[in-house]
Amino acid sequence: MPQVNGRWVANMKSPRTADNEEPAAERALDFRPVDKGFTEEMAVAEAERCLRCKKPLCVQGCPVNIDIPSFIEAIYNREFGRGLDVIRESSMLPAICGRVCPQESQCEGVCIRGKKGEPVAIGQLERFLGDQPELASKPQMAPRNGMRVAVIGSGPSGIACAGELARNGFDVTIFEAFFTGGGVLVYGIPEFRLPKAVVKREIDGLKDMGVKFEFNSVMGRLADAEELLGEKGFDALYVATGAGLPKFLNIPGENLPNVFFANEYLTRVNLMKANQFPEYDTPTKHGRNVVVFGGGNVAMDAVRTAKRLGAERAIIAYRRTEDEMPARKAELHHAKAEGVEVMPLVSPLEFLAGEDGTVRAVRVQKMELGEPDASGRRRPVPIEGAIEEIPCDVAISAIGTNANPFAKLIGGMELNKWGYIDADDNGRTSNPRIWAGGDIVTGAATVILAMGAGKKAAADMTAVLTGADA
Ligand SMILES: Cc1cc2nc3c(=O)[nH]c(=O)nc-3n(C[C@H](O)[C@H](O)[C@H](O)COP(=O)(O)OP(=O)(O)OC[C@H]3O[C@@H](n4cnc5c(N)ncnc54)[C@H](O)[C@@H]3O)c2cc1C
């Protein structure tokens, strides 16, 4: 099995291989990775479940159309290096995407095996290969072409673009505002979901390919597009500054001490190691009663971080119900297993201060679901007079983000009225020497879409700048 008379026959009997998770009660005490990933035997057993469909919907369901059946077949044959090469034709970051992609609404969501049972664990299989980068073929490097490109931002979009450009013969410099590379992958997504070492491996891989990094470099302050393309001598720019500007709740008490934006809270812990104060310099409040407003991945990361910092009660407060939460189902499942409480159908009205001036409670409006709105989800409607007070010593707002305002200061290209960069499908902006992609073009989206945009723009930049497009 699964070859019978030269034909692939899937193992229809075995159930989906269970995730290799740490026990919830133990893992919620520290930042160890929740999921240890498949062993070789688990991966091969899971690969046997793939139907090798003639028209594989999983490939269509993947935003970057990875040839999923081929890499699964390679796993079955224990040709792990070949499997990884297959993925790398479409995705630069399999160890990362295997861990954080919303597979249930992409490849696994359309897997035929899921129609009558459990889909193939495609994300786990991708991660299994991604975690063995030493097995991949060495990237073919084109001869240096003498052209220089500046990439602004080192999130998944910037990384993907820089890697492709370096491979295509360009001299690439990434300018990054933070002191380290990875964007949201390091400052937003916590260690227990995506270990920093996995991201570092990708950054180191870029350095090995000759990509230069200029950290602590806030572009738009240090230099703008005109300067970069002028006196600094770059031939082109790729702008991938993300959408990390938090949205305000605009309610009283939002500025009280211990009321945080999720991105700030997560950055303090993930990057500044606030959980290890006083060994590290940036403390944060370790709340005992923590309420997080929001229902997406960011809210889940914040509430699970609060739990790991010792919260006795860690609540996700969401204005709709669990069914409408945009977070990955796996994250909600993990959060609940770790003791996070879900409080549906509430919306914050006001944060209240205690005698010491810090937040002591939040007043919330109880909601019910009304008619569907433009997103197709049922709209939350306030229930008149139903107002409650939730005690808390830390409150975190994770209701979304806006465009990074530095795109405007970098300048040289047109932005839309919300401050996002106007760019086409290839990342071309209004300026023929500037490309852009990732969250700063699409608004807050996903790692794989940001990565895909970087890869696509790099291909277009290569064609235009080398004249192959003429
Ligand atoms: C907490 C959190 C959890 C998430 N979880 C998931 C998940 O599970 N799955 C998923 O698919 N997606 C998830 N996302 C979304 C995903 O991470 C983003 O869509 C993706 O990172 C966008 O990539 P990007 O490269 O466009 O921008 P970013 O990752 O935001 O990177 C932008 C980079 O640009 C730098 N920068 C900004 N301005 C400047 C400047 N002026 N000069 C120099 N550098 C600058 C920033 O410091 C940053 O490093 C999550 C997001 C957050 C915040």
Side-chain angles (χ1 to χ4, degrees):
M1 281 279 278
Q3 298 279 346
V4 174
N5 295 334
R7 279 183 52 230
W8 177 277
V9 181
N11 181 346
M12 299 302 285
K13 291 202 187 106
S14 62
R16 177 176 162 118
T17 311
D19 291 349
N20 194 5
E21 287 175 12
E22 293 276 3
E26 287 173 31
R27 70 181 190 235
L29 299 174
D30 55 39
F31 285 76
R32 79 181 81 162
V34 165
D35 191 322
K36 291 178 276 187
F38 279 180
T39 61
E40 185 171 323
E41 292 319 310
M42 291 164 88
V44 173
E46 186 59 20
E48 249 190 300
R49 295 183 65 241
C50 175
L51 294 171
R52 301 268 296 140
C53 304
K54 273 212 177 100
K55 284 194 186 144
L57 297 180
C58 53
V59 179
Q60 291 169 31
C62 169
V64 296
N65 305 121
I66 298 173
D67 184 353
I68 293 167
S70 294
F71 86 68
I72 292 184
E73 186 190 351
I75 292 179
Y76 175 73
N77 291 323
R78 295 183 198 260
E79 295 169 354
F80 303 134
R82 182 171 72 80
L84 196 47
D85 288 345
V86 169
I87 299 182
R88 283 182 179 265
E89 280 167 23
S90 314
S91 167
M92 304 270 297
L93 308 170
I96 293 169
C97 294
R99 283 174 169 84
V100 304
C101 265
Q103 288 101 2
E104 76 271 9
S105 58
Q106 298 178 347
C107 52
E108 293 183 20
V110 290
C111 171
I112 297 291
R113 294 261 349 220
K115 295 250 184 267
K116 284 193 182 154
E118 292 276 7
V120 175
I122 300 168
Q124 286 284 4
L125 294 177
E126 182 187 19
R127 169 187 166 172
F128 170 76
L129 293 177
D131 279 350
Q132 306 179 69
E134 66 286 355
L135 300 182
S137 305
K138 286 266 162 286
Q140 295 283 327
M141 302 289 285
R144 302 297 87 191
N145 60 26
M147 279 184 269
R148 297 175 67 221
V149 178
V151 171
I152 307 182
S154 68
S157 207
I159 292 177
C161 186
E164 289 289 313
L165 289 172
R167 200 171 293 171
N168 294 346
F170 291 88
D171 178 331
V172 185
T173 304
I174 299 187
F175 292 96
E176 167 55 52
F178 271 126
F179 58 84
T180 187
V184 168
L185 305 177
V186 291
Y187 79 72
I189 303 181
E191 178 78 16
F192 56 82
R193 274 216 296 138
L194 178 59
K196 306 279 166 284
V198 173
V199 183
K200 184 172 180 297
R201 199 164 65 199
E202 300 300 339
I203 302 286
D204 288 348
L206 287 184
K207 289 180 182 165
D208 289 346
M209 289 163 73
V211 173
K212 288 168 248 170
F213 281 85
E214 298 279 345
F215 292 121
N216 302 308
S217 301
V218 181
M219 306 318 278
R221 288 266 183 248
L222 212 59
D224 60 12
E226 198 182 324
E227 243 176 300
L228 287 166
L229 293 169
E231 63 195 72
K232 301 272 183 208
F234 288 98
D235 294 281
L237 306 183
Y238 181 66
V239 184
T241 45
L245 183 72
K247 273 188 190 151
F248 281 84
L249 284 161
N250 287 321
I251 60 173
E254 200 169 9
N255 292 324
L256 286 176
N258 301 336
V259 178
F260 296 95
F261 288 118
N263 273 9
E264 180 202 347
Y265 183 77
L266 288 168
T267 304
R268 276 172 180 257
V269 178
N270 290 331
L271 265 196
M272 283 46 167
K273 300 199 167 49
N275 52 323
Q276 294 175 43
F277 180 80
E279 272 167 69
Y280 288 83
D281 287 342
T282 313
T284 195
K285 171 81 177 167
H286 292 205
R288 297 176 74 155
N289 282 316
V290 180
V291 187
V292 178
F293 291 96
N297 289 320
V298 184
M300 293 300 152
D301 284 343
V303 78
R304 293 172 74 197
T305 295
K307 191 82 196 153
R308 282 158 173 79
L309 292 184
E312 286 159 17
R313 195 171 180 213
I315 302 172
I316 276 280
Y318 183 51
R319 62 198 185 121
R320 293 183 161 102
T321 73
E322 264 183 44
D323 289 343
E324 289 86 24
M325 278 189 180
R328 292 178 71 212
K329 293 289 168 255
E331 306 312 331
L332 177 62
H333 162 81
H334 285 148
K336 285 164 76 175
E338 289 162 9
V340 166
E341 206 178 303
V342 177
M343 190 177 282
L345 295 166
V346 290
S347 179
L349 291 173
E350 179 179 11
F351 295 104
L352 306 170
E355 277 175 15
D356 65 356
T358 66
V359 67
R360 69 159 179 84
V362 52
R363 283 175 66 234
V364 296
Q365 166 72 60
K366 304 274 279 178
M367 316 291 278
E368 60 189 350
L369 290 183
E371 293 302 311
D373 62 13
S375 73
R377 295 178 304 170
R378 289 177 65 195
R379 188 191 303 273
V381 185
I383 305 173
E384 214 185 304
I387 292 175
E388 276 185 13
E389 211 174 282
I390 313 172
C392 62
D393 52 357
V394 165
I396 301 171
S397 162
I399 59 154
T401 51
N402 289 318
N404 181 315
F406 278 95
K408 194 170 176 193
L409 296 178
I410 291 165
M413 64 212 147
E414 275 170 26
L415 309 183
N416 67 23
K417 63 177 174 182
W418 299 282
Y420 292 99
I421 299 173
D422 260 333
D424 71 9
D425 212 30
N426 286 317
R428 293 185 189 189
T429 69
S430 57
N431 185 323
R433 290 174 69 194
I434 308 180
W435 280 255
D439 282 5
I440 188 59
V441 171
T442 56
T446 59
V447 171
I448 192 138
L449 284 172
M451 185 208 72
K455 197 167 182 296
K456 219 167 177 186
D460 194 58
M461 291 168 96
T462 305
V464 171
L465 296 172
T466 61
D469 191 44

